[in-house]
Protein backbone atom coordinates (compact mmCIF):
# COMPACT_ATOMS: atom_id res chain seq x y z
CA UNK A 1 0.00 0.00 0.00
CA UNK A 2 1.33 3.41 -0.92
CA UNK A 3 1.91 6.04 1.73
CA UNK A 4 -0.83 8.64 2.18
CA UNK A 5 0.05 12.00 0.65
CA UNK A 6 0.55 15.15 2.76
CA UNK A 7 -2.84 16.77 2.20
CA UNK A 8 -4.44 18.68 5.08
CA UNK A 9 -7.41 16.29 5.03
CA UNK A 10 -5.19 13.23 5.38
CA UNK A 11 -3.12 14.76 8.17
CA UNK A 12 -6.13 15.83 10.21
CA UNK A 13 -7.84 12.53 9.64
CA UNK A 14 -4.89 10.31 10.61
CA UNK A 15 -4.06 12.33 13.74
CA UNK A 16 -7.71 12.37 14.82
CA UNK A 17 -8.18 8.64 14.33
CA UNK A 18 -4.98 7.79 16.19
CA UNK A 19 -5.70 10.05 19.16
CA UNK A 20 -9.29 8.77 19.42
CA UNK A 21 -8.18 5.13 19.33
CA UNK A 22 -5.40 5.72 21.88
CA UNK A 23 -7.80 7.73 24.06
CA UNK A 24 -10.33 4.90 24.03
CA UNK A 25 -7.64 2.37 24.92
CA UNK A 26 -6.48 4.52 27.85
CA UNK A 27 -10.03 4.97 29.07
CA UNK A 28 -10.55 1.21 29.04
CA UNK A 29 -7.27 0.43 30.85
CA UNK A 30 -7.91 3.19 33.38
CA UNK A 31 -11.38 1.81 34.17
CA UNK A 32 -10.08 -1.73 34.78
CA UNK A 33 -7.09 -0.60 36.88
CA UNK A 34 -8.86 2.06 38.98
CA UNK A 35 -10.06 -0.46 41.56
CA UNK A 36 -6.75 -2.35 42.03
CA UNK A 37 -4.90 0.99 42.33
CA UNK A 38 -7.25 2.22 45.07
CA UNK A 39 -7.00 -1.20 46.72
CA UNK A 40 -3.19 -1.07 46.68
CA UNK A 41 -3.18 2.41 48.25
CA UNK A 42 -5.66 1.30 50.95
CA UNK A 43 -3.61 -1.84 51.68
CA UNK A 44 -0.47 0.23 52.06
CA UNK A 45 -2.22 2.57 54.48
CA UNK A 46 -3.72 -0.16 56.66
CA UNK A 47 -0.40 -2.06 56.64
CA UNK A 48 1.31 1.11 57.88
CA UNK A 49 -1.29 1.60 60.62
CA UNK A 50 -0.99 -2.05 61.68
CA UNK A 51 2.78 -1.57 61.87
CA UNK A 52 2.63 1.52 64.11
CA UNK A 53 -0.22 0.42 66.40
CA UNK A 54 0.38 -3.30 67.03
CA UNK A 55 -2.27 -5.83 68.04
CA UNK A 56 -4.67 -8.33 66.47
CA UNK A 57 -8.28 -7.54 65.57
CA UNK A 58 -7.83 -3.78 65.77
CA UNK A 59 -10.58 -1.65 64.28
CA UNK A 60 -9.35 1.41 62.46
CA UNK A 61 -11.58 4.45 62.27
CA UNK A 62 -12.09 6.65 59.23
CA UNK A 63 -9.34 9.26 58.97
CA UNK A 64 -9.86 12.64 60.56
CA UNK A 65 -8.07 15.30 58.55
CA UNK A 66 -6.54 18.17 60.50
CA UNK A 67 -3.97 20.87 59.91
CA UNK A 68 -0.75 20.84 61.90
CA UNK A 69 1.00 23.81 63.47
CA UNK A 70 3.08 24.39 60.34
CA UNK A 71 0.08 24.33 58.04
CA UNK A 72 0.51 20.83 56.62
CA UNK A 73 -2.42 18.43 56.41
CA UNK A 74 -2.29 15.41 58.72
CA UNK A 75 -4.61 12.44 59.13
CA UNK A 76 -5.54 10.87 62.47
CA UNK A 77 -6.79 7.28 62.67
CA UNK A 78 -8.22 6.06 65.96
CA UNK A 79 -7.51 2.39 66.66
CA UNK A 80 -9.94 0.53 68.94
CA UNK A 81 -9.93 -3.13 69.98
CA UNK A 82 -13.24 -4.57 71.23
CA UNK A 83 -14.44 -1.10 72.26
CA UNK A 84 -11.20 -0.32 74.07
CA UNK A 85 -8.93 2.52 73.01
CA UNK A 86 -5.59 1.16 71.81
CA UNK A 87 -3.94 4.17 70.29
CA UNK A 88 -3.92 6.60 67.45
CA UNK A 89 -2.03 6.56 64.20
CA UNK A 90 -1.09 9.94 62.79
CA UNK A 91 0.08 10.45 59.24
CA UNK A 92 2.25 13.58 59.14
CA UNK A 93 4.26 15.43 56.53
CA UNK A 94 7.47 17.42 56.83
CA UNK A 95 8.72 19.54 53.97
CA UNK A 96 12.17 19.97 55.55
CA UNK A 97 13.69 16.79 54.15
CA UNK A 98 16.96 16.92 52.26
CA UNK A 99 15.16 16.66 48.92
CA UNK A 100 11.73 17.97 49.91
CA UNK A 101 8.77 16.16 51.38
CA UNK A 102 8.76 13.14 53.68
CA UNK A 103 5.62 11.34 54.88
CA UNK A 104 5.65 9.32 58.09
CA UNK A 105 2.95 7.44 60.00
CA UNK A 106 3.34 7.52 63.81
CA UNK A 107 1.47 5.46 66.41
CA UNK A 108 0.80 6.85 69.91
CA UNK A 109 -0.77 5.13 72.92
CA UNK A 110 -3.15 6.85 75.37
CA UNK A 111 -0.25 8.42 77.30
CA UNK A 112 1.35 9.82 74.16
CA UNK A 113 4.21 7.33 74.09
CA UNK A 114 5.40 6.41 70.61
CA UNK A 115 4.26 2.88 69.77
CA UNK A 116 5.91 2.74 66.39
CA UNK A 117 6.44 4.51 63.11
CA UNK A 118 6.45 3.69 59.44
CA UNK A 119 7.98 5.88 56.75
CA UNK A 120 5.53 6.11 53.83
CA UNK A 121 7.65 8.29 51.58
CA UNK A 122 11.32 9.22 51.86
CA UNK A 123 12.04 8.89 48.14
CA UNK A 124 13.60 12.37 48.03
CA UNK A 125 16.26 11.52 50.59
CA UNK A 126 19.76 10.41 49.60
CA UNK A 127 20.05 6.62 49.24
CA UNK A 128 22.39 5.16 51.88
CA UNK A 129 22.15 8.29 54.05
CA UNK A 130 18.79 9.95 54.72
CA UNK A 131 16.96 7.01 53.18
CA UNK A 132 18.05 4.92 56.20
CA UNK A 133 15.16 6.66 57.99
CA UNK A 134 12.80 3.64 57.96
CA UNK A 135 15.22 1.63 60.16
CA UNK A 136 17.34 4.14 62.06
CA UNK A 137 14.75 5.28 64.62
CA UNK A 138 13.26 1.80 65.28
CA UNK A 139 13.55 -0.06 68.56
CA UNK A 140 17.10 -1.15 69.37
CA UNK A 141 18.62 0.97 66.61
CA UNK A 142 20.94 3.92 67.21
CA UNK A 143 18.27 6.62 66.98
CA UNK A 144 15.61 4.65 68.89
CA UNK A 145 12.51 6.80 69.57
CA UNK A 146 10.07 3.95 70.28
CA UNK A 147 8.48 4.17 73.74
CA UNK A 148 9.55 7.76 74.21
CA UNK A 149 7.04 10.54 74.75
CA UNK A 150 7.42 13.77 72.77
CA UNK A 151 5.62 15.59 75.61
CA UNK A 152 8.27 14.55 78.16
CA UNK A 153 11.40 13.71 76.21
CA UNK A 154 13.28 16.29 74.19
CA UNK A 155 13.08 14.57 70.84
CA UNK A 156 15.43 16.64 68.71
CA UNK A 157 18.81 15.63 67.33
CA UNK A 158 21.73 15.73 69.77
CA UNK A 159 23.30 18.53 67.74
CA UNK A 160 20.29 20.70 68.64
CA UNK A 161 20.50 19.70 72.31
CA UNK A 162 18.03 16.83 72.10
CA UNK A 163 18.38 13.19 73.00
CA UNK A 164 18.09 11.50 69.59
CA UNK A 165 21.17 10.41 67.67
CA UNK A 166 20.86 11.72 64.11
CA UNK A 167 21.47 9.43 61.14
CA UNK A 168 25.21 9.52 60.37
CA UNK A 169 25.89 12.27 57.80
CA UNK A 170 22.15 12.98 57.42
CA UNK A 171 21.28 15.53 60.11
CA UNK A 172 18.84 17.35 57.82
CA UNK A 173 16.85 14.19 57.10
CA UNK A 174 16.86 13.36 60.82
CA UNK A 175 15.59 16.83 61.68
CA UNK A 176 12.83 16.45 59.09
CA UNK A 177 11.84 13.10 60.61
CA UNK A 178 11.68 14.59 64.11
CA UNK A 179 9.82 17.60 62.70
CA UNK A 180 7.18 15.23 61.27
CA UNK A 181 7.09 13.54 64.70
CA UNK A 182 6.55 16.87 66.45
CA UNK A 183 3.78 17.79 64.00
CA UNK A 184 2.13 14.40 64.49
CA UNK A 185 2.33 14.71 68.27
CA UNK A 186 0.97 18.25 68.07
CA UNK A 187 -2.22 17.16 66.33
CA UNK A 188 -2.42 13.99 68.44
CA UNK A 189 -2.36 15.85 71.75
CA UNK A 190 -4.89 18.35 70.37
CA UNK A 191 -7.44 15.64 69.54
CA UNK A 192 -10.15 14.62 71.99
CA UNK A 193 -9.46 10.98 73.04
CA UNK A 194 -6.05 11.99 74.32
CA UNK A 195 -7.31 13.95 77.33
CA UNK A 196 -5.42 11.83 79.82
CA UNK A 197 -2.25 12.36 77.85
CA UNK A 198 -2.65 16.12 77.62
CA UNK A 199 -3.29 16.28 81.38
CA UNK A 200 -0.01 14.49 81.97
CA UNK A 201 1.68 16.86 79.60
CA UNK A 202 0.43 19.82 81.59
CA UNK A 203 1.87 18.25 84.72
CA UNK A 204 5.15 17.69 82.93
CA UNK A 205 5.12 21.26 81.72
CA UNK A 206 4.34 22.51 85.20
CA UNK A 207 7.23 20.59 86.71
CA UNK A 208 9.45 21.87 83.90
CA UNK A 209 8.42 25.42 84.79
CA UNK A 210 9.28 24.78 88.42
CA UNK A 211 12.77 23.66 87.51
CA UNK A 212 13.10 26.75 85.37
CA UNK A 213 12.13 28.90 88.27
CA UNK A 214 14.57 27.05 90.48
CA UNK A 215 17.25 27.67 87.88
CA UNK A 216 16.52 31.37 87.63
CA UNK A 217 16.51 31.50 91.43
CA UNK A 218 19.91 29.90 91.51
CA UNK A 219 21.08 32.37 88.90
CA UNK A 220 19.79 35.25 90.98
CA UNK A 221 21.64 33.92 93.98
CA UNK A 222 24.77 33.72 91.90
CA UNK A 223 24.47 37.25 90.56
CA UNK A 224 23.77 38.55 94.02
CA UNK B 1 17.74 -10.72 8.25
CA UNK B 2 16.26 -13.61 10.26
CA UNK B 3 14.10 -12.93 13.29
CA UNK B 4 16.79 -14.28 15.61
CA UNK B 5 19.37 -12.15 13.82
CA UNK B 6 17.31 -9.03 14.51
CA UNK B 7 17.08 -9.91 18.22
CA UNK B 8 20.84 -10.62 18.49
CA UNK B 9 21.54 -7.38 16.64
CA UNK B 10 19.58 -5.37 19.25
CA UNK B 11 21.15 -7.28 22.12
CA UNK B 12 24.81 -6.94 21.11
CA UNK B 13 25.68 -5.11 17.89
CA UNK B 14 23.28 -2.22 18.45
CA UNK B 15 22.97 -2.49 22.22
CA UNK B 16 21.13 0.75 23.09
CA UNK B 17 23.12 1.45 26.25
CA UNK B 18 26.66 0.22 25.54
CA UNK B 19 26.91 0.89 21.79
CA UNK B 20 24.33 3.49 20.78
CA UNK B 21 24.49 5.30 24.17
CA UNK B 22 20.80 6.14 24.00
CA UNK B 23 18.39 6.60 26.90
CA UNK B 24 21.06 7.72 29.35
CA UNK B 25 18.60 9.45 31.71
CA UNK B 26 16.84 6.29 32.96
CA UNK B 27 20.13 4.38 32.66
CA UNK B 28 21.83 6.65 35.17
CA UNK B 29 18.76 7.44 37.26
CA UNK B 30 17.19 4.07 37.98
CA UNK B 31 20.17 1.74 38.35
CA UNK B 32 20.80 2.22 42.07
CA UNK B 33 20.09 -1.52 42.45
CA UNK B 34 19.88 -4.53 40.15
CA UNK B 35 16.15 -4.97 40.74
CA UNK B 36 15.41 -1.31 39.95
CA UNK B 37 17.43 -1.49 36.74
CA UNK B 38 15.71 -4.68 35.68
CA UNK B 39 12.19 -3.33 36.36
CA UNK B 40 12.95 -0.20 34.34
CA UNK B 41 14.38 -2.30 31.50
CA UNK B 42 11.34 -4.59 31.40
CA UNK B 43 8.90 -1.66 31.45
CA UNK B 44 10.76 -0.05 28.54
CA UNK B 45 10.85 -3.36 26.68
CA UNK B 46 7.07 -3.79 26.98
CA UNK B 47 6.54 -0.30 25.55
CA UNK B 48 9.11 -0.88 22.78
CA UNK B 49 7.57 -4.13 21.55
CA UNK B 50 4.02 -2.72 21.48
CA UNK B 51 4.94 0.64 19.95
CA UNK B 52 7.24 -0.89 17.31
CA UNK B 53 4.56 -3.36 16.27
CA UNK B 54 1.72 -0.84 16.10
CA UNK B 55 3.77 1.87 14.37
CA UNK B 56 4.92 -0.64 11.79
CA UNK B 57 1.29 -1.64 11.17
CA UNK B 58 0.06 1.92 10.68
CA UNK B 59 3.14 3.41 9.00
CA UNK B 60 1.45 3.66 5.58
CA UNK B 61 -1.65 5.37 6.99
CA UNK B 62 0.33 8.31 8.36
CA UNK B 63 1.33 11.21 6.10
CA UNK B 64 5.04 12.06 6.46
CA UNK B 65 4.52 15.56 7.80
CA UNK B 66 2.69 14.38 10.91
CA UNK B 67 4.54 11.13 11.57
CA UNK B 68 6.36 12.34 14.73
CA UNK B 69 3.18 13.50 16.56
CA UNK B 70 1.44 10.27 15.56
CA UNK B 71 4.31 8.11 16.84
CA UNK B 72 4.47 10.06 20.10
CA UNK B 73 0.73 9.62 20.69
CA UNK B 74 1.06 5.86 20.17
CA UNK B 75 4.14 5.66 22.44
CA UNK B 76 2.60 7.85 25.16
CA UNK B 77 -0.52 5.69 25.05
CA UNK B 78 1.44 2.50 25.68
CA UNK B 79 3.57 4.14 28.40
CA UNK B 80 0.43 5.23 30.25
CA UNK B 81 -1.02 1.73 29.94
CA UNK B 82 2.19 0.24 31.37
CA UNK B 83 2.23 2.84 34.15
CA UNK B 84 -1.38 2.12 35.15
CA UNK B 85 -0.74 -1.64 35.14
CA UNK B 86 2.38 -1.23 37.30
CA UNK B 87 0.52 1.03 39.74
CA UNK B 88 -2.32 -1.48 39.99
CA UNK B 89 -0.45 -4.79 40.16
CA UNK B 90 3.08 -3.93 41.31
CA UNK B 91 2.83 -0.92 43.65
CA UNK B 92 6.28 -1.64 45.11
CA UNK B 93 7.87 -1.22 41.67
CA UNK B 94 5.90 1.98 41.12
CA UNK B 95 7.28 3.37 44.37
CA UNK B 96 10.87 2.66 43.37
CA UNK B 97 10.72 3.90 39.78
CA UNK B 98 8.23 6.71 40.32
CA UNK B 99 8.74 9.48 37.78
CA UNK B 100 10.90 7.40 35.45
CA UNK B 101 7.97 5.34 34.12
CA UNK B 102 6.08 8.29 32.54
CA UNK B 103 9.45 9.53 31.26
CA UNK B 104 9.71 6.46 28.97
CA UNK B 105 7.62 8.59 26.57
CA UNK B 106 10.62 10.82 25.90
CA UNK B 107 13.15 7.98 25.99
CA UNK B 108 14.98 8.37 22.69
CA UNK B 109 15.38 4.60 22.32
CA UNK B 110 11.64 4.17 21.80
CA UNK B 111 11.17 6.98 19.28
CA UNK B 112 14.54 6.15 17.72
CA UNK B 113 13.57 2.55 17.00
CA UNK B 114 10.17 3.68 15.69
CA UNK B 115 11.90 6.03 13.24
CA UNK B 116 14.86 3.90 12.22
CA UNK B 117 13.35 0.42 12.23
CA UNK B 118 9.57 0.19 12.59
CA UNK B 119 8.88 2.78 9.90
CA UNK B 120 10.79 0.69 7.32
CA UNK B 121 10.12 -2.95 8.26
CA UNK B 122 7.26 -5.43 8.64
CA UNK B 123 5.28 -5.56 11.92
CA UNK B 124 6.71 -8.95 12.98
CA UNK B 125 10.31 -7.87 12.32
CA UNK B 126 9.63 -4.64 14.21
CA UNK B 127 8.30 -6.56 17.21
CA UNK B 128 11.47 -8.71 17.13
CA UNK B 129 13.56 -5.55 17.03
CA UNK B 130 11.61 -4.34 20.08
CA UNK B 131 12.42 -7.61 21.87
CA UNK B 132 16.12 -7.38 20.93
CA UNK B 133 16.61 -3.74 21.83
CA UNK B 134 14.46 -4.17 24.94
CA UNK B 135 16.49 -7.18 26.08
CA UNK B 136 19.71 -5.28 25.39
CA UNK B 137 18.48 -2.35 27.46
CA UNK B 138 17.24 -4.62 30.28
CA UNK B 139 20.51 -6.58 30.45
CA UNK B 140 22.58 -3.39 30.42
CA UNK B 141 20.51 -1.75 33.18
CA UNK B 142 20.53 -4.90 35.30
CA UNK B 143 24.30 -5.19 34.91
CA UNK B 144 24.91 -1.53 35.84
CA UNK B 145 22.48 -1.86 38.74
CA UNK B 146 24.19 -5.04 39.92
CA UNK B 147 27.67 -3.46 39.84
CA UNK B 148 26.50 -0.35 41.70
CA UNK B 149 24.55 -2.33 44.28
CA UNK B 150 27.44 -4.75 44.85
CA UNK B 151 30.12 -2.06 45.17
CA UNK B 152 27.96 0.45 47.04
CA UNK B 153 25.71 -1.50 49.40
CA UNK B 154 27.31 -4.94 49.40
CA UNK B 155 24.19 -6.73 48.15
CA UNK B 156 23.18 -8.45 44.92
CA UNK B 157 19.46 -8.47 44.06
CA UNK B 158 18.84 -7.58 47.72
CA UNK B 159 20.89 -10.47 49.16
CA UNK B 160 23.80 -9.44 51.37
CA UNK B 161 27.19 -10.42 49.93
CA UNK B 162 29.41 -8.59 52.42
CA UNK B 163 28.69 -6.17 55.32
CA UNK B 164 27.29 -2.82 54.22
CA UNK B 165 29.88 -0.65 55.99
CA UNK B 166 32.64 -1.88 53.62
CA UNK B 167 30.73 -0.63 50.55
CA UNK B 168 31.65 2.61 48.80
CA UNK B 169 28.48 4.66 49.11
CA UNK B 170 29.48 6.74 46.07
CA UNK B 171 28.43 3.90 43.79
CA UNK B 172 24.80 4.12 44.91
CA UNK B 173 24.80 7.90 44.42
CA UNK B 174 24.90 9.77 41.10
CA UNK B 175 28.71 9.85 40.55
CA UNK B 176 28.82 6.05 40.83
CA UNK B 177 26.33 5.80 37.96
CA UNK B 178 28.67 7.68 35.62
CA UNK B 179 31.77 5.79 36.76
CA UNK B 180 30.11 2.38 36.42
CA UNK B 181 28.61 3.22 33.03
CA UNK B 182 31.98 4.45 31.72
CA UNK B 183 33.83 1.31 32.78
CA UNK B 184 31.14 -1.03 31.47
CA UNK B 185 31.01 0.75 28.07
CA UNK B 186 34.81 0.44 27.85
CA UNK B 187 34.75 -3.27 28.73
CA UNK B 188 31.85 -3.98 26.34
CA UNK B 189 33.61 -2.23 23.45
CA UNK B 190 36.88 -4.01 24.21
CA UNK B 191 35.12 -7.38 24.11
CA UNK B 192 33.17 -6.71 20.92
CA UNK B 193 35.92 -4.84 19.04
CA UNK B 194 36.89 -6.33 15.68
CA UNK B 195 40.40 -7.68 15.83
Amino acid sequence: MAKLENSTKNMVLSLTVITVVVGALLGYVSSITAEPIAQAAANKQSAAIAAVVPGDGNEISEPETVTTANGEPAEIFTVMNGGKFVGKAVKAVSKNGFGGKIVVMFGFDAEGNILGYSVLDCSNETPGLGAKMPDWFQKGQKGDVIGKNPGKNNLTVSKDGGEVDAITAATISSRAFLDALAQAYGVYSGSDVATSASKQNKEAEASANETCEADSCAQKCLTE
Amino acid sequence: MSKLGIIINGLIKENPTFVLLLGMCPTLGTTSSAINGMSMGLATMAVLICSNFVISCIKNLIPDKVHIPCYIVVIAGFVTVVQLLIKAYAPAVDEKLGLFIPLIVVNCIVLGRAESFAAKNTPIDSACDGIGIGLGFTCALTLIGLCRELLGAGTAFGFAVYPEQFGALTFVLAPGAFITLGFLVAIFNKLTAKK
Side-chain angles (χ1 to χ4, degrees), chain A residues 81-104:
Chain A
N81 194 337
K84 232 176 79 209
F85 177 76
V86 183
K88 283 194 172 200
V90 184
K91 184 165 129 189
V93 175
S94 172
K95 278 193 174 160
N96 301 332
F98 194 69
K101 202 172 86 166
I102 62 163
V103 185
V104 193

Side-chain angles (χ1 to χ4, degrees), chain A residues 112-136:
Chain A
N113 299 319
I114 302 169
L115 288 171
Y117 78 92
S118 168
V119 178
L120 299 176
D121 182 11
C122 67
S123 57
N124 297 321
E125 303 309 299
T126 319
L129 298 171
K132 279 184 186 162
M133 202 180 279
D135 304 317
W136 189 268

Side-chain angles (χ1 to χ4, degrees), chain B residues 117-163:
Chain B
F117 199 96
K120 294 169 195 152
N121 291 283
T122 63
I124 300 298
D125 280 358
S126 301
C128 288
D129 181 64
I131 296 173
I133 294 282
L135 271 180
F137 191 59
T138 308
C139 292
L141 258 59
T142 313
L143 192 60
I144 298 173
L146 184 64
C147 290
R148 289 180 62 188
E149 192 185 345
L150 196 61
L151 294 172
T155 57
F157 291 97
F159 297 106
V161 176
Y162 60 87

